[in-house]
Amino acid sequence: MNIYDVSKKAGVSIATVSRVLNGNQNVSDKTKDKVLSVMKELGYTPNVFARGLGLNTMHTIGILCSDSSDAFLANAVYYIEQALRKNGYESFLCCTGYELENKKNYLRLLLSKRVDAVILVGSHYLEPNKADNDYIISAANEVPVMMINGYLNHPNIYCTLCDDYQAVYDTVGRIASHGKKDFMFLYRSDSNSSRTKIRGFRDGIEAAGLTLAEDAVMFCPNDISETKEILLSYYREGAKCDAILTSEDSLAVAAVKFAGSLGLRIPQDLEIVGYNNSLLGICTEPELSTLDNHVETLSITTVNTLMRVLQGADVPNKTTISNDFIVRGTAY
Amino acid sequence: MNIYDVSKKAGVSIATVSRVLNGNQNVSDKTKDKVLSVMKELGYTPNVFARGLGLNTMHTIGILCSDSSDAFLANAVYYIEQALRKNGYESFLCCTGYELENKKNYLRLLLSKRVDAVILVGSHYLEPNKADNDYIISAANEVPVMMINGYLNHPNIYCTLCDDYQAVYDTVGRIASHGKKDFMFLYRSDSNSSRTKIRGFRDGIEAAGLTLAEDAVMFCPNDISETKEILLSYYREGAKCDAILTSEDSLAVAAVKFAGSLGLRIPQDLEIVGYNNSLLGICTEPELSTLDNHVETLSITTVNTLMRVLQGADVPNKTTISNDFIVRGTAY
DNA sequence: TTGTATGCGTTATCAT
DNA sequence: ATGATAACGCATACAA
């Protein structure tokens, strides 16, 4: 079942069938109708490989995501995927994990599949060591590279980020204005986003005229109750703490549990701020106040930008979106 | 940069290059090394479209998922995707939403992309009305169809499910043995999985010699605090309740909040059981007891089965995996 | 408006 | 073991 069968049955040449297929105007309505009806009758579907061979594209975008079981990333992938399809593009999804070598391999794999562009979802694709980002730059020589929550200043790389620095910076000021003095910042992975947040935190502390205790910026394990225990032992060693900011909601959950164990009142004795406005935030008691980084906007903006790039438009290579402070029970 | 360039530079025919590319044995080690080194030197990558055109496959599997921002489905997609790539397959992901018409369209779209098989993730792909499943069956005439948490008895359809019926049935018995008498079952979507769980629930209640109040099997909104409110008003209307089973963890979270509002002691006054063993379960206080349906096993089993199908092996068309009761704070 | 002929980069079937 | 060549199914430049 191919274009020849259709042309034969419709009594026209394959060129005409192809024209109908591609919406070419130079076809009389009669023949067009004839061809369309034959196509329907035969249940004809053009072969994407042959088409791809000629056009050297399958209208497919590669998505790279370190871990689609992470709620934030999963949501981003969801919105991206929807938006792409709305624009007539399909997507290859690759979950790379967090190791540089795998990221490189999967990116290469996607390029070998002749994707039209690549979207890197999440700040884990930006390595602290500059040279380690060369694989992204070299990819940009072949196709447009879109980054969500990562920034690389290079031609053909387009970045959409939320302003993590400002969000944390502002939040410190906000909480400090309530009279809180002993801040902690909990983070988990050593991603670019975490580093940015930490900078915002330190600068915010300084701007508020406060000082940080040793270990006040704390790297936490990937387990909520373990994190709670660490906080407890930190506290029992005499550390003071009346405000905890975090790089993600799950850490704030741990903080809530920590407060619960000690009978600390939230938010009077301890204010806690999550990050990402995820589902976890409405499971705790009280519910989490959290910084919303607008995954949906981030994702859709990325796709829209990509579409403009593919159309050859001149597009700025950095778009920043501000975060929102969501007030619920753990901070105000 | 194509196979001709390589053949020219290596001083062999394209046939030989192709043989090297495909690991054909009939190539002398000398020429093989020669060709390989030229390929490396030129940075040659075979064109997937041309290859697909010849082989009529791109080693690509289509994944259909109603909503990848659902934690359970996102996890499944993650594991599936990993397992596929480990087997040398790529995947197209399509998030269809919950409407039948969209599911049909996306399935057709995937088939038009010439995928080698289709995986339907989640029980939302099984319609209560038999005839509405014809689109799945007709797809099975073209390629193998794998279903996770759905069952359709038809050639070329292979299903992997967790035993939701038994899990809920057993859990009712377990909780009843603690002396609890007034059960509720909360569910959200009207999926096949929900219906199965409800059957297990009703049968379990009957087997335990108990009776259900009106509205004891309750359809809940997609919002935790709204669900809590509904439970509260139900309770205030005089309904009794000392055990709540749910179709997913988020509903159990609502139940915990409900108990909290009333000052009910968990699990003495009220036992609560979640479903899916998701992250949400460790955010509440006390943490959720929940039924683990083993997403990872489910996903990997599906891919393994698919690989055997693609190799032409004779494979059973239904695999069932049992659930585990995870004991934490809300039921024992 | 329509048809003819060629190219796209592989794989596979023949020969040799 | 290697080479020549015919598919594979479509898009498109060029002719008519």
Side-chain angles (χ1 to χ4, degrees), chain A residues 2-3 18 22 44 46-47 51:
Chain A
N2 56 30
I3 200 170
S18 179
N22 295 286
Y44 166 72
N47 183 305
R51 193 172 227 170

Side-chain angles (χ1 to χ4, degrees), chain A residues 157-274:
Chain A
I157 299 186
Y158 303 88
C159 309
T160 312
L161 326 90
C162 50
D163 198 346
D164 290 322
Y165 176 88
Q166 199 63 41
V168 177
Y169 182 97
D170 291 346
T171 303
V172 171
R174 177 183 193 124
I175 306 293
S177 76
H178 306 156
K180 299 294 196 290
K181 291 192 160 42
D182 300 304
F183 281 70
M184 287 188 75
F185 187 85
L186 311 183
Y187 68 105
R188 178 155 294 154
S189 59
D190 183 35
S191 67
N192 177 63
S193 161
S194 288
R195 292 187 292 274
T196 306
K197 290 168 187 168
I198 291 173
R199 276 195 296 112
F201 179 71
R202 292 195 186 277
D203 290 356
I205 291 291
E206 191 176 329
L210 299 172
T211 54
L212 288 177
E214 199 182 347
D215 294 332
V217 174
M218 188 179 273
F219 181 85
C220 300
N222 196 15
D223 180 286
I224 290 181
S225 66
E226 216 176 306
T227 301
K228 181 187 85 175
E229 294 303 329
I230 290 179
L231 288 174
L232 280 172
S233 64
Y234 181 70
Y235 190 84
R236 287 184 184 126
E237 285 167 8
K240 296 252 178 197
C241 175
D242 56 14
I244 298 184
L245 275 58
T246 62
S247 70
E248 53 177 274
D249 280 341
S250 64
L251 292 168
V253 170
V256 169
K257 289 183 175 268
F258 155 76
S261 305
L262 291 173
L264 297 176
R265 293 168 307 162
I266 301 174
Q268 300 91 324
D269 303 333
L270 174 64
E271 288 194 59
I272 299 169
V273 182

